[in-house]
């Protein structure tokens, strides 16, 4: 597969295909092949946030008072998120080089930057609540913890294959892995942090998680749109074998995410594992529908955990002024009504 040339005066400005197409390389938002990408670009910019604007003083006091199980779960889940977002930064960089569409390449640049912000936020939270030594230990978990390794290598193997042998087929497979990482693999972790927030615990961390979830929703939307366009541009990829691949891969991901919930959340008060398992299948169905595919799971049409969703800025500012010191955010003009959060 060819990488996009930096300078190509012989190609049209508007791309002919998302990968392996013709594209001059210049970006003109008024002359792009997928016009809805301009709206997404603007939403991504308006969602800009940085970790340092979130006050952590209360979390620092509260962390010491969490029970040992909550502390353990908190640390291992931050450890998981740090690995997922690190992988994601690299993967988005890989994909970016192969887009033969300047608007997709531009959006990948913004998404890559957001993944870096997510990564910084984990270091930021940990530096507020544990010692430097413990922080370094938490960033080692992923190398040794068997359950963590199993779920992470499941994705990294697919990403690595695309890096080593880039082709429309490995790109297809990598997009499925992307939708899993950004759209399924964060969700029992989100449940844990929002469950603490329901008890008014670790609200700074939950605010940060809320911004991350909002970003990940947009990233899922982007990669699902790319996935659908890939099948239009490369109809030869739309085979029964590839459909089977999508369903088998997502089913395995659901199993790994459910195992993770059992492994890290079994003894956390306020979380019902049966309900969470239904929720994971519910969210997997949603990802499939975003990709233009029918549901995989029956009987999970209703969201049984509606509290797993990003806080809106209005709600944060109206009800949590004690936690957030009445600070209004300057960037986020786009709230829950932007049409993407519900995807
Ligand atoms: Zn991220
Ligand atoms: Zn992401």
């Amino acid at each position: 597969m060819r990488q996009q040339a930096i300078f190509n005066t012989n190609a049209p400005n508007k791309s002919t295909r998302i990968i392996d197409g013709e594209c001059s390389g210049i970006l003109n938002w008024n002359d792009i092949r997928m016009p809805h990408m301009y709206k997404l670009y603007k939403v991504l910019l308006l969602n800009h946030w940085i970790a340092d604007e979130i006050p952590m003083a209360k979390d620092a006091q509260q962390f010491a008072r969490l029970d040992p199980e909550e502390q353990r779960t908190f640390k291992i889940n931050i450890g998981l998120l740090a690995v997922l977002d690190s992988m994601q930064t690299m993967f988005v960089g890989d994909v970016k080089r192969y887009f033969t569409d300047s608007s997709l390449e531009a959006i990948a640049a913004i998404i890559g930057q957001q993944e870096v912000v997510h990564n910084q936020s984990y270091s930021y939270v940990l530096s507020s609540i544990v010692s430097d030594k413990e922080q370094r230990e938490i960033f080692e978990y992923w190398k040794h913890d068997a359950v963590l390794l199993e779920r992470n290598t499941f994705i990294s193997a697919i990403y690595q294959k695309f890096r080593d042998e880039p082709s429309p087929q490995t790109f297809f497979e990598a997009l499925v892995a992307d939708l899993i990482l950004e759209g399924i693999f964060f969700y029992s972790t989100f449940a844990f942090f929002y469950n603490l927030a329901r008890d008014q615990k670790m609200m700074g961390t939950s605010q940060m998680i809320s911004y991350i979830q909002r970003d990940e929703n947009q990233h899922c939307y982007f990669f699902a749109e790319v996935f659908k366009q890939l099948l239009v541009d490369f109809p030869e990829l739309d085979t029964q074998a590839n459909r089977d691949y999508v369903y088998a891969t997502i089913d395995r991901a659901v199993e790994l995410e459910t195992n993770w919930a059992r492994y890290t959340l079994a003894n956390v008060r306020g979380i019902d594992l049966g309900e969470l398992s239904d929720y994971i299948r519910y969210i997997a169905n949603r990802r499939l529908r975003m990709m233009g595919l029918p549901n995989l799971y029956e009987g999970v049409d209703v969201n049984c955990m509606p509290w797993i969703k990003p806080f809106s800025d209005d709600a944060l500012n109206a009800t949590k002024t004690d936690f957030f010191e009445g600070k209004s955010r300057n960037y986020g003009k786009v709230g829950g009504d932007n049409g993407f959060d519900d995807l």
Side-chain angles (χ1 to χ4, degrees):
M1 213 159 88
R2 283 175 302 126
Q3 292 188 17
Q4 167 66 37
I6 287 177
F7 191 89
N8 183 354
T9 54
N10 297 318
N13 293 346
K14 185 193 274 187
S15 153
T16 59
R17 287 204 295 194
I18 55 170
I19 52 167
D20 258 348
E22 295 295 318
C23 178
S24 70
I26 199 167
L27 173 57
N28 174 6
W29 285 111
N30 295 316
D31 185 24
I32 58 177
R33 190 160 167 250
M34 298 164 72
H36 56 303
M37 288 297 146
Y38 188 42
K39 183 182 177 197
L40 175 62
Y41 162 74
K42 290 193 280 191
V43 169
L44 289 170
L45 286 191
L46 290 171
N47 281 349
H48 174 68
W49 62 280
I50 52 169
D52 306 66
E53 68 187 322
I54 301 173
M56 290 298 295
K58 276 220 156 63
D59 284 39
Q61 291 168 0
Q62 283 183 327
F63 186 76
R65 296 200 299 269
L66 296 182
D67 67 45
E69 188 60 20
E70 286 172 332
Q71 289 188 354
R72 178 188 87 94
T73 307
F74 191 101
K75 290 187 286 185
I76 198 164
N77 275 292
I78 292 285
L80 164 70
L81 293 175
V83 181
L84 295 182
D85 273 311
S86 299
M87 278 202 270
Q88 206 51 25
T89 303
M90 288 184 271
F91 173 66
V92 175
D94 284 357
V95 167
K96 183 177 169 295
R97 279 190 284 277
Y98 291 96
F99 278 136
T100 48
D101 182 313
S102 306
S103 66
L104 301 184
E105 186 165 0
I107 290 175
I110 310 247
I111 290 179
Q113 187 247 15
Q114 292 186 334
E115 303 302 6
V116 175
V117 170
H118 299 175
N119 264 301
Q120 185 225 335
S121 69
Y122 308 129
S123 302
Y124 175 76
V125 165
L126 290 180
S127 60
S128 309
I129 62 172
V130 299
S131 66
D132 281 358
K133 177 173 173 290
E134 195 164 9
Q135 177 169 167
R136 280 192 292 273
E137 284 165 10
I138 293 167
F139 276 84
E140 294 288 324
Y141 284 174
W142 65 287
K143 296 179 185 168
H144 310 292
D145 184 282
V147 184
L148 200 46
L149 258 179
E150 186 183 30
R151 57 174 295 163
N152 290 336
T153 50
F154 177 69
I155 296 294
S156 67
I158 303 172
Y159 281 0
Q160 189 69 43
K161 190 172 165 200
F162 173 65
R163 178 173 276 203
D164 295 341
E165 306 156 33
S167 72
Q169 178 62 35
T170 55
F171 183 61
F172 172 92
E173 293 168 11
L175 291 178
V176 177
D178 177 279
L179 266 297
I180 290 169
L181 190 157
E182 304 195 274
I184 298 174
F185 270 10
F186 278 97
Y187 275 78
S188 29
T189 303
F190 290 152
F192 170 70
F193 289 109
Y194 293 151
N195 183 58
L196 286 179
R198 291 200 295 175
D199 285 341
Q200 303 291 305
K201 289 178 185 166
M202 308 303 283
M203 295 299 285
T205 306
S206 279
Q207 184 184 15
M208 194 192 84
I209 291 293
S210 179
Y211 292 151
I212 292 171
Q213 185 183 2
R214 187 175 61 180
D215 292 344
E216 299 306 349
N217 275 342
Q218 316 300 342
H219 303 174
C220 284
Y221 171 78
F222 174 70
F223 281 107
E225 290 301 299
V226 168
F227 178 85
K228 285 186 287 189
Q229 191 62 45
L230 180 72
L231 295 183
V232 172
D233 291 355
F234 293 81
E236 64 273 26
L237 290 174
D238 195 359
T239 61
Q240 190 57 46
N242 269 343
R243 281 174 182 256
D244 292 346
Y245 175 85
V246 172
Y247 283 103
T249 309
I250 288 190
D251 195 39
R252 175 67 178 139
V254 163
E255 186 180 33
L256 287 168
E257 186 64 11
T258 308
N259 287 346
W260 178 253
R262 216 173 287 133
Y263 176 57
T264 64
L265 304 178
N267 300 314
V268 173
R269 272 170 294 148
I271 295 201
D272 177 325
L273 285 183
E275 217 173 54
L276 186 53
S277 156
D278 281 353
Y279 181 81
I280 293 166
R281 286 179 294 143
Y282 163 83
I283 205 88
N285 276 347
R286 274 176 45 162
R287 299 311 171 210
L288 283 163
R289 292 200 304 277
M290 286 172 77
M291 296 159 84
L293 297 167
N295 286 345
L296 175 57
Y297 302 103
E298 303 274 342
V300 286
D301 299 331
V302 177
N303 179 358
C304 59
M305 297 179 117
W307 46 273
I308 306 179
K309 65 170 188 193
F311 309 150
S312 74
D313 286 332
D314 286 348
L316 285 169
N317 289 327
T319 64
K320 304 293 191 299
T321 46
D322 51 338
F323 287 101
F324 306 129
E325 302 170 359
K327 179 175 176 289
S328 67
R329 299 177 67 250
N330 296 321
Y331 313 112
K333 308 293 187 299
V334 181
D337 61 348
N338 61 38
F340 293 110
D341 284 345
D342 291 331
L343 291 167

